[in-house]
Amino acid sequence: MSSSSTLPSVSRRDLDFQLFEVLDTASLTSRPVHADHDAASFAAVLDVAQQLAADKFQTHYRESDLDEPRLQDGKVRVLPQVGDALRAFAEAGFMNADRPFDEGGQQLPYTVLQASLACFQAANIGTSSYNFLTMSGAGVIREFGTQQQRDTYMKPMLEARFLGTMCLSEPHAGSGLADLRTRATPQPDGSYRLKGTKMWISAGEHELSENIVHLVLARIDGAPAGTRGISLFIVPRRHVNPDGTVGDPNDVTLVGLNHKMGYRGTVNTLLNFGEHDACVGHLIGEPHRGLSYMFHMMNEARISVGTGAAMLGVAGYLYSLDYARSRPQGRLPGAKDPSTPPVSIIEHADVRRMLLAQKAYAEGALALCLYAARLVDDVRSGPDAAGRTRAAQLLEILTPLVKSWPSEFCLEANKLAMQVLGGYGYTRDYPVEQYYRDNRLNLIHEGTHGIQAMDLLGRKVRQDGGALFALLLEAMRADARQAQATPATARYADALLQAADRVEEATRALQAAAGGDERVATANATLYLDMLGHVAIAWMWLRQARVAAHAIERGARGDELAFYRGKLTACGYFYRYELGRLDHWLPVIASADPLFAQLDVATL
């Protein structure tokens, strides 16, 4: 049990349940873009993902943590198995799986792709990040680049010949992109000379690929101040020759490596661009629109971050569940005879509490992430304009929750997994402490928890006169009204309807109490995100419970009956033990409590 590859880190039964029973992904085959597929082909893709993740990713999960990237003879040495895994991933077609056939893709629904990627994230989140960054970068070039840029950079990225990065943050301005200083000077040939420093750049330097394609935010000389003056550039580590071969270095210099507490298999760097005034960049799209282009990538990236957080929660839950079943220790209360054998720790009520909480957090979070992925499919291929608009609006307001709630509460799940293992859980002999360290980084990836909360409460809830917020509540209420007709879920449906009313009332009260003071209005934004996230997860659990209840009514037996009963049990836990947190959150939110906005910092 000491190896991270001993157990599957994915519940395939749960993935199938989410995709085919809750989200009805098979119905997407009625759309022309997915007409060449069926439920069997979707399942076959998941089979390949699950097997490849186990064979090529999970096998070096522990080793990549212990033998992290390091400088050796002037080059960054990364565990060789990482490169092997990335090549196998690309050869299996996952880099481009949701793209059109004429671009070398498989025209898979994004939902199926995201579920497949979840298998790799659960197996090895550090190695998966190289794929994630490259796919995201290629997506931006595809959407906003020229045909020449697609041919020169995107195609080799999707073949994993080139790998990608996102270069946003700078040493003096982490999330404060309005203050970035990297400059871009126009050249007579239409290119730019870049000069500046970028910090916390994942996958920024290595020998895993022929080239590295950096997507760099910078200001063109004379650009407006603030975020309105930011442009986006392709900056290859090495120049690319007209025939597609890799040429000379492009004046991108590694300053040093950062060593984070998690994702240790992913090299993280401090980079200088243009130390010798010879760094060439190529503008993507129009000047001064770089941030909007980058956020196009980041919105789907946030779904991936949330999914990765959920899958680390799932992996920890599955491991601690197996451990609890096989680890004998202690006797039940009232058993006084020391000669009787100890029971497995899963027999103890508090261990069951920790396991059920993990299940509720992790499987609820995964349901939310895959629901968001399904909305991406509805935006891309929905049959009517009104439906596509509705999906886009729902996705807009849900994205901060999708990114941040799993990152916060699946970290709690990982903490509980460690506790289930007792002292062993805190050692590197078991994988649960690594799941915890890896997951801790997801709170800062693609925008911190606090930044997502500010985006949610400061922008999304108010957007279009509150239309997105109203749409989200109505989607919850519509599912709750359906669930009222099912006896096993009626009481949970009533509770969700009541919660939606309370959230709506508290949000109105907050806006009134703040009196136009933006600082006060958003002072409790993180509390608001946690609160609305809990309501969204309660919604996801109601959707799952309703499907499970109907399956039981149809006569599920054996393992299938146990699976569906497990869904109802976890739903009941979330409504009885978790949704009650609203009693604390909502009064604080409704009052627009100004403590944090008005706090005298001298008292800290």
Side-chain angles (χ1 to χ4, degrees), residues 63-114:
E63 190 174 355
S64 62
D65 184 70
L66 298 175
D67 189 6
E68 60 185 311
R70 63 181 182 272
L71 276 172
Q72 187 174 324
D73 299 326
K75 295 183 177 181
V76 175
R77 178 198 173 277
V78 178
L79 201 69
Q81 293 95 309
V82 174
D84 294 341
L86 300 181
R87 286 186 288 275
F89 181 92
E91 289 168 4
F94 286 107
M95 291 287 253
N96 204 21
D98 63 331
R99 295 307 176 187
F101 292 131
D102 60 9
E103 293 182 15
Q106 301 175 42
Q107 292 186 193
L108 279 175
Y110 183 75
T111 314
V112 177
L113 175 60
Q114 194 62 55

Side-chain angles (χ1 to χ4, degrees), residues 165-441:
T165 76
M166 292 189 292
C167 297
L168 290 77
S169 299
E170 300 184 359
H172 65 283
S175 299
L177 297 179
D179 299 316
L180 68 80
R181 299 171 184 165
T182 300
R183 301 196 325 271
T185 302
Q187 302 299 301
D189 65 355
S191 68
Y192 292 77
R193 290 290 188 272
L194 268 73
K195 193 174 188 66
T197 301
K198 294 293 182 177
M199 184 58 148
W200 310 119
I201 308 307
S202 295
E205 178 68 14
H206 52 72
E207 304 299 324
L208 296 170
S209 57
E210 296 176 30
N211 208 349
I212 301 173
V213 178
H214 302 290
L215 294 190
V216 182
L217 291 179
R219 295 184 188 285
I220 298 173
D221 292 345
T227 57
R228 293 180 298 120
I230 296 175
S231 299
L232 182 61
F233 298 86
I234 296 172
V235 183
R237 176 201 192 195
R238 303 179 73 93
H239 294 288
V240 181
N241 298 319
D243 64 357
T245 59
V246 175
D248 295 329
N250 188 25
D251 196 13
V252 179
T253 305
L254 174 68
V255 179
L257 301 183
N258 302 307
H259 299 281
K260 294 186 175 182
M261 68 181 288
Y263 279 67
R264 289 184 174 181
T266 306
V267 60
N268 191 274
T269 61
L270 172 64
L271 299 177
N272 276 350
F273 294 85
E275 276 191 4
H276 305 290
D277 299 322
C279 180
V280 178
H282 307 280
L283 179 69
I284 296 180
E286 300 175 19
H288 317 320
R289 296 192 61 192
L291 202 57
S292 66
Y293 298 155
M294 190 68 92
F295 273 104
H296 172 85
M297 170 173 61
M298 289 180 71
N299 281 333
E300 288 186 10
R302 284 167 176 157
I303 297 175
S304 290
V305 169
T307 305
M311 294 313 297
L312 286 169
V314 168
Y317 163 62
L318 293 175
Y319 195 95
S320 63
L321 175 62
D322 184 81
Y323 182 91
R325 285 171 170 160
S326 60
R327 166 68 170 173
Q329 184 171 297
R331 293 162 183 81
L332 295 178
K336 306 298 184 182
D337 184 356
S339 65
T340 59
V343 298
S344 297
I345 62 172
I346 201 169
E347 299 298 328
H348 299 299
D350 195 57
V351 172
R352 294 180 178 186
R353 172 190 66 83
M354 293 187 284
L355 292 169
L356 187 54
Q358 288 182 69
K359 180 181 176 72
Y361 291 151
E363 293 181 6
L366 180 59
L368 180 64
C369 295
L370 292 178
Y371 179 86
R374 184 65 159 78
L375 290 175
V376 172
D377 279 318
D378 289 340
V379 171
R380 290 181 177 181
S381 64
D384 61 86
R388 292 192 295 272
T389 298
R390 178 183 181 277
Q393 291 175 327
L394 269 177
L395 188 61
E396 185 80 3
I397 193 168
L398 278 173
T399 296
L401 300 177
V402 170
K403 186 272 167 183
S404 278
W405 195 94
S407 301
E408 178 74 28
F409 287 93
C410 289
L411 184 67
E412 288 297 303
N414 291 140
K415 181 180 77 175
L416 292 170
M418 290 172 65
Q419 192 70 15
V420 168
L421 269 68
Y424 293 114
Y426 296 82
T427 70
R428 291 193 178 185
D429 297 314
Y430 293 81
V432 287
E433 63 85 30
Q434 186 179 345
Y435 294 147
Y436 183 91
R437 287 187 290 105
D438 284 345
N439 219 352
R440 183 60 185 83
L441 270 63

Side-chain angles (χ1 to χ4, degrees), residues 536-551:
I537 297 299
W539 174 33
M540 292 297 109
W541 270 115
L542 181 63
R543 288 166 53 85
Q544 294 181 76
R546 181 169 174 264
V547 172
H550 289 171

